[in-house]
Amino acid sequence: KTTSPQDIETLVCKYFKVDPSMLKSKSRKKLYAYPRKIYVYLCRHYTDETLENIGKHIDRNHSTILYSAEWIENKMKTDTKIKRQVDLLGKKIEETMK
């Protein structure tokens, strides 16, 4: 069983207490950009969606999606807080996939 980008969107928005429309917004405020990057990273790892499809879902192009996923991956190596957040959300996704 796989998960959908919508499921991940719901989880990320609930966790970070942001409105789902904010993932699609053009705002670059960290308050919205950070959950958006987490969303992208989780979509890349837990869905079979292409970069294009993930991008369409949040009104971004595929190169932005690639950058966001790599940004989170690199930050996880040095920032334990980010790693903990991503691991926690990843576990929640895996639980719903069972």
Side-chain angles (χ1 to χ4, degrees), residues 35-44 54 58 65 68-69:
R36 192 183 300 131
K37 286 177 181 165
I38 299 275
Y39 164 80
V40 167
Y41 177 85
L42 294 171
C43 280
R44 294 271 297 140
I54 296 169
I58 56 169
I65 300 305
S68 294

Side-chain angles (χ1 to χ4, degrees), residues 44-98:
R44 294 271 297 140
H45 284 78
Y46 293 101
T47 69
D48 297 331
E49 295 291 322
T50 62
L51 293 172
E52 292 283 327
N53 289 346
I54 296 169
K56 278 183 191 143
H57 194 73
I58 56 169
D59 298 333
R60 296 290 187 284
N61 63 29
H62 74 279
S63 58
T64 307
I65 300 305
L66 197 58
Y67 172 79
S68 294
E70 286 174 1
W71 188 89
I72 292 292
E73 223 159 85
N74 291 332
K75 286 288 182 189
M76 283 171 63
K77 292 173 187 161
T78 56
D79 191 327
T80 54
K81 182 182 171 218
I82 293 176
K83 178 144 178 53
R84 276 199 309 271
Q85 285 178 331
V86 173
D87 288 347
L88 175 78
L89 291 167
K91 281 192 185 89
K92 287 185 180 196
I93 292 168
E94 285 169 14
E95 285 168 14
T96 62
M97 289 167 68
K98 285 179 185 166

Side-chain angles (χ1 to χ4, degrees), residues 13-29:
C13 289
K14 207 160 129 185
Y15 182 82
F16 288 105
K17 296 178 179 66
V18 295
D19 191 71
S21 66
M22 294 319 299
L23 287 183
K24 295 177 177 74
S25 85
K26 294 291 175 206
S27 173
R28 291 183 176 178
K29 288 183 179 168

